[in-house]
Amino acid sequence: MSLRHSECLSSFAGQRQPARLAELNSKLQARQAGLESLRERKLALEQDVRCADQVILWERRSGELLQQLDAATSREAAVRRELEHAQQLRRVLKRNIHALDQQQPLPEKDKS
């Protein structure tokens, strides 16, 4: 290679170097921005997973609470039936007492 050719290549390379560095720097910045975007997306997805886990726990708990509510509702219905039965018995007893009060009093026996 001649000296002149070598000088031309050096000169050309020297002129091209800043443009190449700028290009590489631009690509590096774009990749870094892409990585940062991926990190942010990863954090958002991890938060979504935590939220989904919490929702699952709430759904399980609400299922348990619904079962407890169903059991309590059944017990309440049984208590209401017993109360209604007791109230009916009370009304019957009141009527019987009233009927007995309306009858002639029994004669008292002599205690001689």
Side-chain angles (χ1 to χ4, degrees):
M1 188 178 336
S2 71
L3 181 58
R4 175 128 166 78
H5 190 251
S6 179
E7 288 174 359
C8 282
L9 283 177
S10 289
S11 174
F12 182 72
Q15 291 172 358
R16 296 275 292 158
Q17 194 67 17
R20 180 72 177 142
L21 284 176
E23 178 188 347
L24 290 174
N25 191 33
S26 175
K27 286 182 180 180
L28 178 62
Q29 289 175 350
R31 285 186 181 171
Q32 287 174 335
L35 284 174
E36 185 60 30
S37 175
L38 287 174
R39 283 187 197 105
E40 289 172 2
R41 182 69 183 133
K42 179 186 172 211
L43 291 174
L45 289 172
E46 288 172 344
Q47 179 63 30
D48 289 348
V49 167
R50 285 190 294 275
C51 288
D53 288 344
Q54 189 62 44
V55 167
I56 289 168
L57 290 175
W58 288 338
E59 286 176 347
R60 285 182 187 156
R61 182 63 180 143
S62 68
E64 293 167 1
L65 291 173
L66 285 173
Q67 288 177 344
Q68 291 175 7
L69 178 61
D70 287 345
T73 302
S74 295
R75 287 190 305 271
E76 179 188 19
V79 167
R80 285 182 184 274
R81 286 189 299 271
E82 288 179 28
L83 177 61
E84 180 61 33
H85 182 67
Q87 289 172 338
Q88 288 174 353
L89 288 176
R90 183 174 177 258
R91 287 191 292 270
V92 168
L93 287 173
K94 276 185 153 185
R95 277 194 305 267
N96 288 344
I97 290 171
H98 181 69
L100 286 173
D101 286 345
Q102 297 300 319
Q103 289 180 357
Q104 294 292 331
L106 294 175
E108 291 191 29
K109 293 184 181 179
D110 270 337
K111 295 184 180 181
S112 22

